[in-house]
Amino acid sequence: MLLTSPWLSVFADTAATRKEKCRLAVIGPGSRGRFLMNFLVQNPKVEIAALHVIYQPSIDEALKIAPQAKVVSDYRKILEDKTIDAVVVAVPLNKHFQIVMDAFDAGKHVFCEKPLALNLADAREMLEAVKKANVRH
């Protein structure tokens, strides 16, 4: 699904597309978030613009990958930022639902690390929210 999302068309070959960049925020750049960041920074059409993390060792390691990224302690500050196109959610599973729902409410495109939700009811509610928000997930 990630590769077919239209908002990710900016990742296509730079010679075949406009020179736009996708400004991403990583919410939860712990070990899994940093694993994803290592791939994202290799793409010249991606800018990791912000990080939400509260654990200092994770901040230090994430900034080695994306030194220009702004670090915030409240993920809602990222969602308020109109210059952020999309968020990568790589927090513990019990936090996925609220962060993803808030991101949809803010009109952000979302890539959420698996599993999406703790239960089927939450997953269905997230699906309905993405349909209403008219964003990609």
Side-chain angles (χ1 to χ4, degrees), residues 43-64:
N43 190 315
K45 299 188 84 181
V46 173
E47 176 186 350
I48 298 176
L51 304 167
H52 163 63
V53 62
I54 56 174
Y55 182 58
Q56 190 61 49
S58 291
I59 294 170
D60 297 341
E61 293 301 312
L63 287 173
K64 289 177 186 175

Side-chain angles (χ1 to χ4, degrees), residues 75 89 91-101 116 118:
Y75 75 90
V89 179
V91 296
L93 175 58
N94 65 325
K95 305 286 187 198
H96 283 193
F97 180 79
Q98 189 62 56
I99 292 172
V100 168
M101 295 296 281
L116 179 63
L118 285 169

Side-chain angles (χ1 to χ4, degrees), residues 70-128:
K70 172 176 66 172
V71 177
V72 299
S73 60
D74 185 342
Y75 75 90
R76 290 171 291 229
K77 295 288 184 197
I78 288 171
L79 301 181
E80 293 169 0
D81 186 340
K82 301 295 183 202
T83 69
I84 301 294
D85 300 309
V87 295
V88 173
V89 179
V91 296
L93 175 58
N94 65 325
K95 305 286 187 198
H96 283 193
F97 180 79
Q98 189 62 56
I99 292 172
V100 168
M101 295 296 281
D102 289 346
F104 290 152
D105 286 344
K108 301 296 183 198
H109 301 287
V110 174
F111 173 84
C112 185
E113 187 56 43
K114 65 182 181 181
L116 179 63
L118 285 169
N119 56 60
L120 188 55
D122 285 354
R124 286 185 174 143
E125 191 172 340
M126 293 162 104
L127 178 60
E128 291 306 312

